[in-house]
């Protein structure tokens, strides 16, 4: 009798999408690790790099803690790390926080669809469909990480991944997604553009520099099964929220 096939792992839980009007950020100390945690982290990171040599242990921002002192106001405590810190997610015995802080851009078309892109096989999330965006980079010493800095991070990600340029002031703080590991993704709404213009700017990017290898445009959760491969945990709840708002006669904002 043939052995039973191993069932695929369950998909990660969906993110929680929360309305936000104000964000305050405060830097805190780097997470303390035991010698055993550091050793296990470095071993896992070395294995990850062997599997994907393009991984880079660059600077990043970890989300140490979050609180909501009043409705619509999010306080984020953050610390400076490098990407290898997230290898701790594969160390079952660790108690160190491994939440990340990221930004994503909700880029709409002039007919109300949302742009999503498929990540390159050489990225940390190969094949995943998501909004343009990425991990937040820490500011230079002496500079603040605040909402303006998050907007600048988002503008950079949008330009690098899609070729679309916009001014930071044109990005509207739209929502916050809280997902796996307690990670936080700040979502900004970009001014709408025609699909043809978005595809033209994406095509003009040099292929070796692309983190996204394919674009698609979606309107509701019903469109997501047509995108093969993994999806960012916030895609379904964001599209559900937009569908409810449209049904109620509300604009995207």
């Amino acid at each position: 009798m043939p052995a039973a096939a191993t069932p695929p792992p369950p998909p990660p839980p969906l993110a929680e999408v929360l309305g936000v009007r104000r964000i305050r950020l405060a830097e805190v100390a780097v997470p303390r690790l035991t010698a055993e945690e550091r050793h296990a982290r470095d071993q896992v990171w070395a294995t990850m790099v062997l599997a994907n040599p393009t991984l880079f242990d660059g600077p990043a921002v970890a989300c140490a803690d979050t609180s909501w002192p009043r409705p619509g106001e999010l306080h984020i405590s953050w610390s400076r790390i490098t990407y290898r810190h997230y290898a701790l997610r594969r160390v079952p015995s660790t108690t160190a926080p491994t939440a990340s802080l990221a930004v994503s851009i909700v880029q709409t078309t002039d007919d109300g669809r949302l742009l999503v892109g498929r990540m390159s096989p050489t990225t940390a999330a190969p094949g995943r469909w998501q909004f343009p965006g990425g991990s937040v980079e820490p500011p230079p010493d002496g500079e603040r990480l605040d909402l303006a800095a998050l907007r600048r991070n988002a503008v950079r990600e949008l330009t690098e991944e899609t070729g679309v340029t916009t001014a930071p002031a044109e990005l509207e703080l739209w929502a916050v997604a809280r997902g796996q590991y307690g990670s936080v993704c700040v979502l900004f709404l970009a001014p709408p553009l025609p699909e043809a213009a978005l595809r033209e700017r994406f095509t003009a990017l040099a292929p070796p520099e692309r983190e996204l290898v394919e674009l698609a445009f979606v309107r509701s959760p019903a469109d997501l099964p047509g995108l093969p491969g993994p999806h960012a945990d916030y895609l379904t709840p964001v599209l559900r929220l937009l569908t409810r708002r449209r049904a109620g006669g509300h604009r995207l904002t």
Side-chain angles (χ1 to χ4, degrees):
M1 183 176 179
T6 302
L14 297 180
E16 181 182 19
V17 178
L18 305 166
V20 62
R21 295 188 299 274
R22 179 181 298 177
I23 293 179
R24 294 186 178 181
L25 299 107
E27 185 172 5
V28 297
V30 176
R32 283 185 150 185
L33 303 180
T34 65
E36 291 78 12
E37 287 174 323
R38 289 194 299 271
H39 178 69
R41 175 202 63 188
D42 293 345
Q43 281 193 317
V44 172
W45 177 255
T47 300
M48 293 169 64
V49 172
L50 280 176
N52 183 357
T54 64
L55 292 178
F56 172 59
D57 191 24
V61 168
C63 180
D65 192 20
T66 58
S67 64
W68 296 82
R70 55 188 60 87
E73 181 173 320
L74 172 62
H75 288 194
I76 300 174
S77 300
W78 65 275
S79 55
R80 299 170 189 263
I81 58 162
T82 65
Y83 280 100
R84 76 171 56 216
H85 179 80
Y86 297 128
L88 286 167
R89 293 171 176 174
R90 304 188 185 188
V91 179
S93 60
T94 187
T95 58
T98 58
S100 59
L101 178 61
V103 290
S104 287
I105 302 89
V106 181
Q107 175 64 66
T108 63
T109 62
D110 49 8
D111 64 355
R113 289 170 297 149
L114 306 187
L115 180 153
V116 293
R118 191 174 193 179
M119 295 291 282
S120 161
T122 61
T123 61
R128 185 174 70 188
W129 290 93
Q130 61 181 55
F131 296 139
S135 298
V136 173
E137 293 185 4
D141 290 340
E143 295 187 16
R144 294 179 59 195
L145 182 62
D146 54 15
L147 186 58
L150 295 185
R151 281 193 169 93
R152 292 192 294 271
N153 271 261
V155 164
R156 185 191 67 248
E157 294 287 349
L158 182 64
T159 301
E160 290 178 355
E161 296 185 0
T162 69
V164 174
T165 57
T166 188
E170 292 186 301
L171 293 183
E172 178 183 345
L173 177 61
W174 187 72
V176 166
R178 187 167 53 195
Q180 197 173 20
Y181 312 110
S183 294
V184 169
C185 182
V186 180
L187 299 165
F188 291 98
L189 180 65
L193 289 169
E195 177 185 344
L198 292 168
R199 290 195 180 278
E200 180 181 2
R201 295 180 193 187
F202 178 72
T203 302
L205 291 175
E209 299 175 2
R210 290 182 185 168
E211 288 189 29
L212 302 180
V213 294
E214 183 180 355
L215 297 185
F217 296 87
V218 294
R219 187 181 298 275
S220 75
D223 296 328
L224 294 181
L227 304 179
H231 298 166
D233 57 2
Y234 55 68
L235 278 185
T236 294
V238 165
L239 288 170
R240 284 176 180 167
L241 175 61
L242 296 181
T243 299
R244 289 197 301 269
R245 288 186 176 181
R246 286 174 180 139
H250 299 291
R251 296 173 56 231
L252 183 62
T253 55

